[in-house]
Amino acid sequence: MSLEDEALSELRASAHPVRLRMMSMLTGAPMSAAELARELDITQANASYHLRTLAKAGQVEVAATESVRGGQAKKYRYRYSEGTGRSTEESRPARSADPDEWRPYIDVLHQELVRRSAQRIDGQALSADAEVWLTPETWRKTMQLVKEASRLVHEEALRPHAPGSVHVNFQAELFRMHDDRDESDAAR
């Protein structure tokens, strides 16, 4: 499988609301299918199916096994690290600009933002939106700062409902865009 095919496989595996939530939960601590099923209020069979899909795409890995009632339960963790993961654009091969490939993933991100926003409480928050033109240096700095914030959030994530923790949302999507005006100028 080529690097581009591998990245597309990861993207497709991520483009499901349950799997996106699982990856977030598995950032803080390894969890079994049974634990994820309880947390997400789904069946253990459904949780197992989604974990196998994520594992096949390389998004999660088995972190440990434990004995449970005479059997073995696998505990999975999200495979985020510097240079890998959905949040670091430089780690991936060039992504296709084909909207049909990206639409399911973007739709799931949107659904998750709407779901999480319904749980928002008053207090400290940050929201940013920009469609702007930047110098290449400012763009590199921006990417580095967001990458650092993402790394911090992933490295310091705790198990769901850990004592002393707060439940937060962190979602970022940064990308360069083509300039429609440049294309229309070239066509003249």
Side-chain angles (χ1 to χ4, degrees):
M1 184 182 294
S2 73
L3 287 177
E4 191 163 320
D5 290 340
E6 194 174 309
L8 190 54
S9 175
E10 290 175 13
L11 178 68
R12 287 179 179 149
S14 302
H16 190 283
V18 170
R19 292 193 289 263
L20 194 62
R21 289 185 69 195
M22 284 180 159
M23 288 186 295
S24 290
M25 289 182 183
L26 294 173
T27 297
M31 297 173 73
S32 68
E35 292 169 314
L36 284 165
R38 282 190 298 274
E39 188 66 36
L40 296 170
D41 197 26
I42 60 176
T43 66
Q44 185 172 342
N46 198 2
S48 293
Y49 166 77
H50 288 298
L51 280 169
R52 284 192 307 273
T53 300
L54 289 168
K56 184 177 177 183
Q59 294 287 60
V60 299
E61 63 188 3
V62 176
T65 58
E66 66 181 16
S67 295
V68 178
R69 289 174 269 176
Q72 292 289 315
K74 295 177 184 176
K75 291 209 172 216
Y76 293 85
R77 72 172 165 228
Y78 175 51
R79 294 188 63 215
Y80 180 89
S81 64
E82 178 70 21
T84 64
R86 293 183 322 270
S87 62
T88 54
E89 189 165 313
E90 298 89 2
S91 67
R92 303 256 175 147
R95 292 177 171 173
S96 168
D98 182 354
D100 291 335
E101 291 177 1
W102 281 95
R103 180 78 54 218
Y105 178 71
I106 298 302
D107 288 346
V108 168
L109 285 179
H110 174 255
Q111 291 170 22
E112 269 302 284
L113 183 58
V114 169
R115 183 191 67 79
R116 293 173 189 178
S117 293
Q119 297 178 356
R120 185 177 177 165
I121 60 175
D122 290 338
Q124 188 177 19
L126 172 64
S127 181
D129 177 61
E131 181 178 341
V132 297
W133 283 253
L134 301 171
T135 66
E137 180 58 25
T138 301
W139 173 242
R140 280 190 291 280
K141 286 179 186 177
T142 302
M143 289 289 287
Q144 187 59 41
L145 289 169
V146 173
K147 184 179 5 175
E148 181 62 27
S150 179
R151 182 176 53 234
L152 177 65
V153 165
H154 283 84
E155 287 176 358
E156 299 296 324
L158 303 171
R159 178 179 198 82
H161 313 287
S165 66
V166 293
H167 192 193
V168 302
N169 173 63
F170 180 93
Q171 204 175 55
E173 187 72 25
L174 284 75
F175 48 86
R176 287 187 55 190
M177 300 170 60
H178 65 82
D179 189 341
D180 293 334
R181 198 161 113 194
D182 289 346
E183 290 174 7
S184 64
D185 288 346
R188 287 185 215 175

